[in-house]
Amino acid sequence: MALSHQQRDQIERRIRAAIDRLLAGQIPPDGTCDVKTLAREAGISRASLYRTWGHLKDEFEKRRAAAWAAGGQPDPREARIARLRDLNQRLTGKLARTHTELTQLKERHRLLLSVLAAKDDELQRLRRELSSPAPVPLPRR
């Protein structure tokens, strides 16, 4: 069925309004900033968006890519995912550094315990020497 000029204008306005909303970050709870959500928000089928309104789909994708390239993130969930990935990467690095430091501290602890044990052995030996009667020197002939 052919659309009248008025129907085409109305659908195009709905699609453009949906594009503006999505790129402004007004993402519905069950959607993302993508073509599927765009079609649903405009009230048309995704197939229709691809076939009949492909130029608007392309415009949406270009504007979305430009927003991402400019550092903007229309979809707050995508921005949150990006932040969480960055945080995860930083925490993973910090965990690796902490693990390395812990390993070094454990090795230093083992070394110091070994030195302490050797010093304790020496101290015990010196105490035994002090507590035992001094040998009486034999007279010289």
Side-chain angles (χ1 to χ4, degrees):
M1 163 173 106
L3 296 174
S4 70
H5 184 67
Q6 183 180 10
Q7 290 171 319
R8 290 184 66 79
D9 285 345
Q10 182 184 23
I11 293 171
E12 187 168 336
R13 280 194 306 274
R14 285 195 334 243
I15 295 171
R16 288 189 184 281
I19 289 172
D20 291 340
R21 283 193 313 274
L22 291 175
L23 293 178
Q26 298 173 12
I27 312 294
D30 57 342
T32 60
C33 190
D34 64 356
V35 174
K36 180 179 177 182
T37 304
L38 173 62
R40 191 175 68 232
E41 286 295 297
I44 61 173
S45 71
R46 193 167 46 174
S48 176
L49 183 62
Y50 277 90
R51 278 192 313 256
T52 309
W53 308 100
H55 65 288
L56 293 176
K57 177 195 75 69
D58 293 342
E59 177 186 328
F60 168 70
E61 289 174 337
K62 286 177 188 172
R63 286 177 58 190
R64 183 181 61 183
W68 285 344
Q73 182 59 265
D75 191 340
R77 285 177 289 191
E78 291 294 327
R80 184 166 187 240
I81 288 169
R83 280 193 312 276
L84 289 173
R85 280 189 181 134
D86 179 57
L87 177 62
N88 186 43
Q89 187 175 21
R90 284 186 287 135
L91 290 175
T92 300
K94 185 176 182 178
L95 178 62
R97 289 188 303 276
T98 302
H99 179 70
T100 301
E101 183 181 347
L102 178 62
T103 302
Q104 291 169 348
L105 288 172
K106 282 181 177 180
E107 183 57 35
R108 183 167 170 79
H109 182 256
R110 277 193 287 275
L111 176 66
L112 290 173
L113 281 177
S114 175
V115 169
L116 185 60
K119 292 294 182 186
D120 187 56
D121 288 345
E122 183 181 357
L123 182 62
Q124 294 300 324
R125 182 186 56 79
L126 290 172
R127 282 184 179 157
R128 282 192 305 273
E129 284 179 16
L130 284 174
S131 66
S132 63
V136 178
L138 296 174
R140 292 187 182 222
R141 296 192 194 174

